[in-house]
């Protein structure tokens, strides 16, 4: 039988606010345990939540970015369950009426575009952390993270492969950073995905029973986890088994998923509207205020780049895939002042390749946009050849300084003095009589060989265009 | 001095007839003498109280005294007060020392008032007789074999026995008005949102409201000037202009339209209580008021609605008492679940457990729509009853409680009979309206309260209505015997 996998994602995006969602405690990562846990964070008797409007603005910003309905009246609800790192015994979340309604995100797989529908996004608070370290057999509780604002973004079950799910997650990851609502730091848990996976016979329109893979914090693990889970479900069904609805965890060491709790043990969260908080009302003016500060979105920027910089669609898409790359590109174009296509080639080529190789973000690139522009200027004014430029770029990357410094120090300046080039050409022609004869006998390819010899003799510094020109003149004569 | 009004105390303090330290000591001495039996206070801290009194004396000496500076007040043990043990009447918080001040506490502090001690109460404010307190029953000063009402029973008994000039209370379903009625006091539950709930330990968040308990309406007005006001730390606190609650005290009542709800004078009301209440209304007619019969047709629904919504909220509010961070934790346990179970089984009393179970049940998947959602819909109908009634009248009057103080133990085994104690008060909380009880006479030697229900934010007018009645009657000046 042919099987089809059906995937939906729930992503917890930690919002970049200075303080927690319902109190004034700091949200900074990495502080000593419980130093950012105030009376509200530890849920002392009598404390009350007060909504942080900054978190609401982040939610509106996201809603606008995915062209979603903004809930004009949304309601905070209590999700009740007992856990030691959940200080109130309930999490304040949104249930029936979320702040962001239906929207969409378009992903690209090769040349194919696909729309992933967003069901909703809602605001909620994070829990603390249980520390299973050395506490004499006990568990430690760190409540610094308790109350950190989260936006939970839920998709429809629209994805049909691990690749699609990862492409969506990457796109979302980029978008939330692009609009400045999340730092995207997956190691620190700022962006965590829960993936719902089910399989069904291809052609069926009925959904299979799903299992939820919890808390994936790397795209590679997500890919592996979905692939393993899909195989496991198909094998189970083909062996005549059934799938039980369950929550599973992915173990990166074994590459396997394993059930954490089954549905029978599932909590009844007893959601009800939180009487400590008024319904969240968002006015047209609130939305307009967020809109006014909204950065240009990737789609709009892509269209603009095609127009303004005459970039091909492929280049414009690649350059606007991340806010950091786009910013880098714009800065380099401005500093360079020349043809934008040359900048795009370098950004998508050498820069991207080096970053990829070293696993770095463009913000951490050792070669700044201005430095790159400095190099491109020397290509444009024929100071160095394209080939030399690669060498200079490598040197810049390893921190040897600006393009001009490196060119000077390494003596890479291109020779464009026609007298000097003529001398080299004469020398080469004299030393390679056989090749000259071949060329004159009609073997066109021999020409390239002679050019190569000239470049070699000049230690690569001769201007190749001039070499060509002079050589052609001489051979014709 | 022990019968003096707040105004008289302020005058005496200002004229240096007595110092705040002397006044505080006077009440502390009375507490030492009478409290071992009456049990109105859970926690006393004479050093702290006297230090506050000394600071108040300094303010008075500098001419910086406000109307309440130097006057000692009893604080219900539901308000967190920094450095004070704050128990909420529960074993769960037996050793909990609050590290911060409730808004109400800091308001009294800022006014230069003295915290005389923390008063006894039903556990987590759940009860109408003060019998659910982990710290023991409270005696009604008018008859020591009877209950003072609840949940603010300790505050009521303290003021009635002159163990404090006045006290704070909280009212979720009648917890200020019913004990005020049973102890012969004046008590006001303001409009929901007028007093900040910050630092007031939550029972049912959408119903809880702090208010003053004192001998007279005038005292209540002076306390309201300190207690009311917007607080950014409570999202349900209302942002309104500051009011002077004493401003209308002396307005005449001519032309006042009093609504008498048919349903408040029907079955279930004690005949003696009914007579006292009708006499009081007759007194208002003499003061120039008119009466009109009104109807609150959904009154009977208020108790079932309340006993769905209040436990639902309570079951969630009390989840934080899990033994993890503060409060009681079982001494021995095998694992996390065992720790939770033992801690909560040991830390909570029977009534609290009953309400947690009811609340958990009505919020459960499959029951939510039938109970919680339905109750919310009925809550709106109950509020609409009042809306209709207030088209015909300015205030509504009736009994505060269906009877007078009952005997200790009389209703402890019949929760429904106990719940019916709040028949006339609960609807007011459900609607978020202000309600007040003023002493209106006696039935068989026990005090009876007249309830005055006003429209939203009409507290100043209600206090005026109470004050004018107290100018022509002296029920509020009566004192129980045996407390001299």
């Amino acid at each position: 039988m042919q099987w089809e996998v059906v995937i939906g994602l729930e992503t917890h995006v930690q919002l970049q606010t200075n303080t927690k969602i319902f109190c004034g405690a700091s949200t900074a990562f990495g502080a000593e345990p419980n130093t950012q846990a105030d009376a509200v964070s530890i849920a002392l008797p009598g404390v009350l939540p007060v909504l942080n409007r900054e978190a609401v603005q982040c939610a509106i910003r996201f809603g606008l970015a995915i062209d979603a309905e903004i809930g004009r009246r949304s309601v905070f609800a209590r999700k009740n369950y007992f856990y030691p790192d959940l200080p109130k015994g309930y999490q304040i979340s949104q249930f029936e009426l979320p702040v962001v309604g239906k929207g969409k995100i378009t992903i690209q797989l090769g040349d194919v575009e696909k729309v992933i529908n967003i069901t909703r996004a809602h605001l909620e608070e994070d829990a603390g952390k249980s520390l299973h370290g050395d506490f004499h057999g006990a568990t430690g509780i760190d409540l610094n993270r308790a109350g950190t604002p989260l936006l939970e973004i839920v998709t429809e079950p629209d994805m049909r492969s691990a690749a699609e799910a990862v492409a969506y997650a990457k796109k979302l990851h980029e978008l939330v950073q692009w609009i400045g609502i999340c730092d995207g730091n997956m190691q620190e848990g700022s962006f965590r995905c829960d993936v719902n996976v089910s399989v069904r016979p291809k052609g069926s329109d009925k959904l299979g029973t799903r299992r939820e893979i919890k808390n994936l914090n790397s795209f590679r693990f997500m890919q592996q986890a979905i692939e393993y889970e899909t195989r496991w479900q198909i094998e189970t069904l083909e062996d005549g088994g059934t799938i039980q609805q369950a929550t599973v965890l992915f173990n990166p060491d074994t590459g396997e998923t394993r059930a954490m709790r089954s549905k029978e043990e599932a909590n009844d969260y007893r959601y009800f509207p939180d009487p400590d908080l008024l319904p969240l009302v968002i006015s047209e003016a609130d939305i307009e205020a967020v809109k006014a500060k909204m950065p240009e979105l990737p789609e709009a920027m892509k269209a603009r780049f095609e127009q303004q910089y005459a970039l091909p669609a492929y280049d414009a898409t690649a350059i606007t895939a991340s806010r950091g790359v786009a910013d880098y590109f714009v800065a380099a174009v401005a500093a360079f002042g020349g043809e934008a296509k040359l900048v795009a080639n370098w950004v998508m080529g050498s820069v991207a390749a080096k970053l990829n190789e070293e696993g770095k973000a463009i913000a951490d690139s050792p070669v700044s946009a201005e430095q790159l522009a400095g190099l491109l200027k020397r290509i444009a004014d024929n100071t160095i050849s394209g080939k030399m430029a690669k060498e200079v770029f490598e040197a810049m990357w390893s921190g040897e300084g600006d393009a001009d410094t490196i060119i000077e120090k390494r003596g890479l300046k291109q020779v464009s003095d026609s007298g000097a080039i003529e001398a080299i050409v004469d020398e080469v022609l004299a030393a390679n009589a056989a090749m000259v004869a071949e060329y004159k006998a009609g073997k066109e390819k021999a020409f390239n060989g002679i050019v190569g010899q000239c470049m070699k003799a000049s230690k690569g510094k001769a201007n190749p265009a001039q070499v060509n020109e002079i050589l052609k003149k001489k051979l014709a004569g | 001095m022990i019968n003096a009004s707040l105004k008289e105390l302020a005058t005496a303090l200002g004229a240096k007839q007595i110092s705040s330290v002397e006044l505080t000591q006077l009440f502390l001495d009375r507490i030492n003498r009478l409290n071992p039996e009456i049990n109105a206070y859970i926690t006393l801290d004479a050093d702290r109280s006297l230090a506050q009194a000394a600071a108040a004396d300094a303010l008075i000496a500098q001419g910086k005294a406000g109307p309440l500076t130097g006057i000692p007040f009893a604080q219900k043990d539901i308000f967190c007060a920094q450095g004070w043990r704050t128990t909420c009447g529960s074993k769960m918080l037996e050793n909990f020392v609050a590290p911060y001040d409730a808004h109400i506490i800091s308001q009294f502090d800022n006014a230069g008032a003295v915290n005389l001690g923390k008063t006894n109460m039903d556990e987590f404010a759940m009860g109408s007789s003060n019998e659910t307190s982990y710290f023991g029953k409270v005696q009604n000063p008018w008859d020591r074999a009877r209950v003072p009402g609840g949940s603010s029973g300790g505050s009521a008994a303290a003021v009635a026995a002159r163990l404090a000039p006045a006290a704070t209370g909280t009212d979720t379903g009648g917890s200020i008005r019913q004990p005020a009625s049973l102890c012969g006091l004046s008590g006001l539950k303001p409009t929901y949102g007028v007093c900040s709930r910050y630092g007031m330990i939550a029972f049912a968040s959408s119903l809880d409201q702090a208010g003053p308990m004192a001998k007279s309406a005038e005292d209540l007005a002076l306390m309201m000037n300190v207690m009311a006001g917007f607080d950014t730390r409570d999202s349900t606190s209302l942002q309104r202009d500051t009011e002077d609650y004493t401003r209308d005290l002396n307005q005449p009542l001519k032309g006042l339209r009093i609504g008498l709800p048919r349903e408040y004078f029907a079955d279930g009301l004690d005949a003696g209580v009914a007579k006292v209440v009708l006499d009081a209304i007759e007194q208002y007619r003499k003061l120039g008021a008119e009466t009109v019969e009104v109807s609150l047709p959904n009154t009977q629904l208020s108790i079932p609605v309340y006993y769905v919504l209040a436990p639902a909220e309570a079951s969630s509010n009390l989840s934080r008492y899990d033994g993890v961070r503060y409060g009681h934790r079982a001494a021995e346990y095998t694992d996390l679940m065992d720790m939770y179970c033992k801690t909560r089984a040991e830390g909570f009393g029977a009534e609290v457990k009953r309400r947690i179970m009811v609340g958990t049940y009505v919020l459960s998947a499959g029951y939510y729509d039938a109970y919680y959602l339905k109750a919310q819909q009925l809550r709106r109908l109950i509020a609409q009853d009042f809306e209709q009634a207030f088209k015909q009248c300015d205030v509504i009057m009736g009994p505060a409680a269906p009877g007078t103080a009952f005997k200790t133990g009389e209703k402890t085994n019949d929760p429904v009979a106990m719940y019916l104690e709040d028949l006339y008060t609960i609807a007011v909380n459900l609607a978020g309206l202000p309600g007040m009880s003023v002493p209106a006479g006696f039935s068989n030697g026990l005090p009876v309260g007249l309830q005055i229900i006003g429209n939203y934010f009409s507290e100043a007018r209600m206090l005026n209505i109470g004050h004018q009645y107290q100018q022509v009657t002296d029920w509020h000046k009566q004192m129980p015997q045996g407390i001299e």
Side-chain angles (χ1 to χ4, degrees):
Chain A
M1 195 191 301
Q2 283 270 65
W3 295 90
E4 178 178 61
V5 61
V6 177
I7 302 166
L9 263 74
E10 292 166 22
T11 308
H12 288 91
V13 170
Q14 186 177 312
L15 300 176
Q16 261 177 311
T17 57
N18 295 320
T19 56
K20 294 184 179 180
I21 186 166
F22 297 118
C23 66
S26 166
T27 52
F29 180 83
E32 281 292 303
N34 298 313
T35 54
Q36 287 166 186
D38 63 350
V40 173
S41 302
I42 58 178
L44 284 183
V47 296
L48 296 168
V50 177
L51 179 61
N52 178 351
R53 293 298 299 199
E54 223 188 315
V56 178
Q57 285 157 9
C58 289
I60 296 174
R61 197 169 255 234
F62 178 74
L64 292 172
I66 62 160
D67 199 17
E69 309 150 17
I70 307 292
R72 292 313 182 85
R73 184 179 173 281
S74 63
V75 172
F76 287 99
R78 293 184 182 179
K79 180 179 181 179
N80 294 283
Y81 66 97
F82 285 95
Y83 204 69
D85 60 22
L86 186 72
K88 295 187 293 296
Y90 58 85
Q91 177 195 31
I92 304 177
S93 181
Q94 296 190 305
F95 187 53
E96 279 177 343
L97 296 170
V99 63
V100 175
K102 287 180 169 32
K104 41 184 168 307
I105 286 179
T106 306
I107 59 169
Q108 190 132 19
L109 285 144
D111 291 338
V112 186
E113 278 195 348
K114 180 168 178 174
V115 171
I116 306 299
N117 291 292
I118 304 297
T119 314
R120 59 183 280 163
H122 64 256
L123 285 165
E124 62 182 28
E125 59 179 342
D126 208 344
K129 274 183 193 158
S130 295
L131 307 170
H132 304 284
D134 183 20
F135 297 98
H136 312 285
T139 298
I141 306 289
D142 177 7
L143 296 177
N144 283 351
R145 202 183 62 183
T148 297
L150 301 177
L151 189 67
E152 179 173 339
I153 300 159
V154 183
T155 73
E156 291 293 306
D158 281 353
M159 286 147 279
R160 295 290 176 271
S161 66
E164 282 185 13
V166 170
Y168 162 77
K170 282 185 171 166
K171 183 76 188 256
L172 179 65
H173 184 242
E174 198 41 65
L175 179 65
V176 294
Q177 292 177 82
W178 185 288
I179 60 175
I181 64 169
C182 174
D183 67 15
N185 192 321
M186 297 178 79
Q187 272 75 48
E188 292 175 7
S190 299
F191 187 93
R192 322 193 282 269
C193 295
D194 300 339
V195 185
N196 283 294
V197 179
S198 66
V199 297
R200 64 183 173 190
K202 210 172 172 73
S204 162
D205 56 4
K206 231 177 105 227
L207 289 170
T209 304
R210 68 191 155 89
R211 303 213 310 165
E212 183 180 17
I213 314 170
K214 276 275 184 204
N215 260 329
L216 294 165
N217 64 355
S218 113
F219 298 125
R220 196 160 55 88
F221 292 162
M222 182 186 292
Q223 177 100 26
Q224 290 171 7
I226 296 172
E227 282 168 356
Y228 177 86
E229 178 65 24
T230 307
R231 271 200 313 277
W232 182 88
Q233 289 192 20
I234 292 170
E235 278 166 20
T236 302
L237 292 172
E238 286 184 339
D239 290 348
T242 52
I243 306 294
Q244 298 293 322
Q245 191 172 330
T247 303
V248 305
L249 285 179
F250 175 68
N251 181 342
D253 297 331
T254 60
E256 294 175 0
T257 54
R258 176 170 300 172
M260 200 163 90
R261 52 173 185 252
S262 70
K263 201 185 174 227
E264 293 88 274
E265 298 165 54
N267 280 304
D268 175 356
Y269 292 118
R270 291 171 282 122
Y271 280 101
F272 75 105
D274 191 331
D276 287 332
L277 290 159
L278 303 175
L280 168 57
V281 175
I282 294 173
S283 68
E284 190 62 42
D286 293 332
I287 295 174
E288 286 307 316
V290 173
K291 233 180 227 170
K293 289 185 192 158
M294 192 81 176
E296 186 179 22
L297 292 172
E299 298 299 316
M301 193 179 272
K302 175 185 168 236
R304 179 165 64 85
F305 281 6
E306 288 180 36
Q307 277 280 317
Q308 188 179 343
Y309 300 121
L311 290 187
Y314 177 86
D315 292 31
T317 305
I319 294 289
T320 57
S322 103
R323 178 76 177 269
V325 172
D327 288 347
Y328 187 95
F329 169 77
V330 170
V333 169
F336 174 43
E339 200 193 342
K341 174 67 177 128
L342 182 63
V343 181
N345 290 346
W346 276 81
V347 171
M348 296 185 301
S350 299
V351 176
K354 288 299 281 186
L355 290 173
N356 207 17
E357 193 181 303
E358 297 183 10
K360 280 196 171 109
I362 195 148
D364 305 323
S365 168
V367 175
S368 70
E370 289 69 26
Q371 284 179 308
L372 179 69
L375 173 63
L376 301 187
K377 276 181 188 162
R378 295 298 157 257
I379 300 173
D381 68 10
N382 286 326
T383 305
I384 51 170
S385 65
K387 198 173 163 211
M388 284 294 170
K390 291 262 191 320
E391 184 185 334
V392 176
F393 179 78
E394 287 286 344
M396 284 163 75
W397 194 272
S398 17
E400 289 181 33
D402 290 346
D404 286 342
T405 315
I406 294 164
I407 292 166
E408 189 63 39
K409 206 166 71 186
R410 297 200 174 184
L412 299 177
K413 213 168 200 167
Q414 186 162 261
V415 176
S416 301
D417 168 359
S418 54
I421 296 176
E422 262 195 72
I424 293 168
V425 169
D426 287 341
E427 233 173 78
V428 169
L429 290 177
N432 293 281
M435 281 170 105
V436 174
E438 270 178 42
Y439 175 74
K440 288 201 167 155
K443 210 168 174 193
E444 290 280 331
K445 267 190 184 166
F447 184 78
N448 291 338
I450 301 167
V451 172
Q453 290 300 320
C454 293
M455 292 307 291
K456 199 173 163 189
S458 76
K459 300 200 176 75
K461 286 190 277 188
N463 180 330
Q466 273 178 300
V467 170
N468 261 300
E469 203 184 316
I470 291 168
L471 199 53
K472 270 193 184 139
K473 220 187 283 169
K474 298 233 172 207
L475 289 170
Chain B
M1 223 31 100
I2 61 167
N3 281 316
S5 71
L6 297 182
K7 212 167 158 182
E8 287 163 352
L9 288 176
T11 307
L13 287 163
K16 314 275 164 59
Q17 285 170 352
I18 192 168
S19 70
S20 174
V21 168
E22 287 164 345
L23 184 64
T24 303
Q25 192 60 58
L26 175 91
F27 280 101
L28 287 172
D29 289 346
R30 289 184 58 78
I31 292 166
N32 284 336
R33 190 151 52 84
L34 296 169
N35 194 60
E37 284 193 1
I38 295 177
N39 199 28
Y41 287 88
I42 292 174
T43 301
L44 294 159
D45 188 338
D47 291 348
R48 235 168 232 282
S49 301
L50 290 167
Q52 269 190 310
D57 282 331
L59 283 176
I60 294 167
Q62 293 163 29
K64 290 182 183 163
L68 302 190
T69 305
I71 301 176
F73 290 88
Q75 300 288 356
K76 185 174 180 178
D77 205 19
I78 200 167
F79 295 105
C80 287
Q82 191 165 0
W84 286 82
R85 183 168 74 131
T86 300
T87 71
C88 218
S90 180
K91 180 181 180 182
M92 192 57 95
L93 294 175
E94 187 177 4
N95 298 310
F96 176 70
V97 176
Y100 76 103
D101 279 329
H103 181 74
I104 291 295
I105 296 290
S106 48
Q107 290 290 95
F108 275 98
D109 283 354
N110 295 340
V114 174
N115 184 348
L116 197 51
K118 308 292 291 292
T119 58
N120 208 336
M121 55 182 286
D122 279 299
E123 185 179 7
F124 285 104
M126 297 176 190
S128 305
S129 66
N130 216 110
E131 291 169 291
T132 71
S133 171
Y134 174 67
F135 299 91
K137 291 160 187 153
V138 175
Q139 293 178 342
N140 188 322
W142 292 91
D143 179 345
R144 303 291 185 91
R146 293 176 187 269
V147 303
S151 66
S152 311
S155 287
V159 181
R162 307 303 190 251
L163 302 181
T168 55
T170 60
D171 190 318
T172 305
S175 284
I176 286 175
R177 292 159 289 160
Q178 185 255 14
S181 177
L182 269 48
C183 289
L185 302 177
S186 304
L188 172 67
K189 180 208 96 76
T191 305
Y192 183 80
V194 163
C195 293
S196 167
R197 293 184 295 115
Y198 184 77
M200 183 175 118
I201 298 178
F203 159 18
S205 313
S206 74
L207 301 159
D208 296 343
Q209 184 61 201
M213 302 178 80
K215 295 187 284 289
S216 68
E218 183 191 57
D219 286 359
L220 297 180
L222 287 166
M223 291 172 75
M224 278 299 288
N225 280 350
V226 164
M227 296 174 73
F230 177 60
D231 177 14
T232 53
R233 298 169 299 182
D234 174 2
S235 308
T236 62
S237 162
L238 296 161
Q239 196 160 11
R240 304 178 68 248
D241 290 339
T242 307
E243 278 189 56
D244 175 7
Y245 288 92
T246 64
R247 69 183 188 274
D248 288 335
L249 286 178
N250 295 315
Q251 294 295 314
L253 298 187
K254 193 162 169 43
L256 176 73
R257 294 174 305 160
I258 298 171
L260 303 176
R262 204 175 301 149
E263 296 78 6
Y264 283 24
F265 296 91
D267 291 350
L269 179 61
D270 174 85
V273 170
K275 184 174 181 310
V276 169
V277 169
L278 291 172
D279 284 352
I281 288 161
E282 189 50 41
Q283 184 65 57
Y284 273 105
R285 288 200 190 95
K286 286 182 192 160
L287 287 168
E290 301 157 16
T291 57
V292 53
E293 192 186 75
V294 296
S295 177
L296 300 169
N298 293 299
T299 297
Q300 292 298 326
L301 291 174
S302 61
I303 288 191
V305 165
Y306 177 88
Y307 280 98
V308 169
L309 297 181
E313 293 182 18
S315 70
S316 175
N317 283 333
L318 271 59
S319 293
R320 67 188 59 195
Y321 309 109
D322 57 3
V324 174
R325 298 167 314 287
Y326 52 78
H328 178 73
R329 183 193 288 182
E332 281 175 30
Y333 42 87
T334 53
D335 58 14
L336 179 64
M337 190 52 76
D338 193 41
M339 192 278 279
Y340 282 151
C341 293
K342 283 192 178 135
T343 296
R344 290 168 65 84
E346 294 165 7
F348 290 137
E351 183 60 28
V352 171
K353 285 178 195 161
R354 178 173 10 248
R355 297 199 196 189
I356 289 174
M357 284 190 275
V358 169
T360 303
Y361 179 83
V362 299
L363 289 175
S364 299
Y367 300 102
Y368 180 85
D369 289 2
Y371 290 99
Y372 184 84
L373 214 56
K374 185 64 80 183
Q376 285 290 21
Q377 289 161 353
L378 293 174
R379 182 177 183 172
R380 274 194 287 281
L381 287 183
I382 289 165
Q384 283 165 14
D385 280 0
F386 285 102
E387 220 172 278
Q388 287 301 318
F390 281 124
K391 286 178 181 165
Q392 294 169 261
C393 61
D394 304 315
V395 287
I396 289 167
M397 287 190 189
T404 51
F406 49 92
K407 288 228 162 79
T408 301
E410 192 180 319
K411 297 186 180 179
T412 40
N413 293 322
D414 187 351
V416 175
M418 190 73 89
Y419 296 170
L420 284 169
E421 271 296 302
D422 297 327
L423 178 61
Y424 306 122
T425 47
I426 273 180
V428 174
N429 298 78
L430 291 169
L433 292 164
M436 184 163 81
S437 179
V438 290
F442 292 83
S443 171
N444 295 323
L446 293 168
V448 173
L450 168 74
Q451 184 175 207
I452 303 169
I453 302 166
N455 214 333
Y456 300 104
F457 310 116
S458 67
E459 286 86 352
R461 177 67 164 151
M462 293 161 67
L463 291 161
N464 157 237
I465 293 166
H467 181 67
Q468 287 305 305
Y469 178 73
Q470 290 175 342
Q471 297 307 295
V472 296
T473 59
D474 64 358
W475 305 117
H476 64 293
K477 290 184 176 163
Q478 307 290 316
M479 205 172 118
Q481 296 191 335
I483 57 155
E484 289 75 17

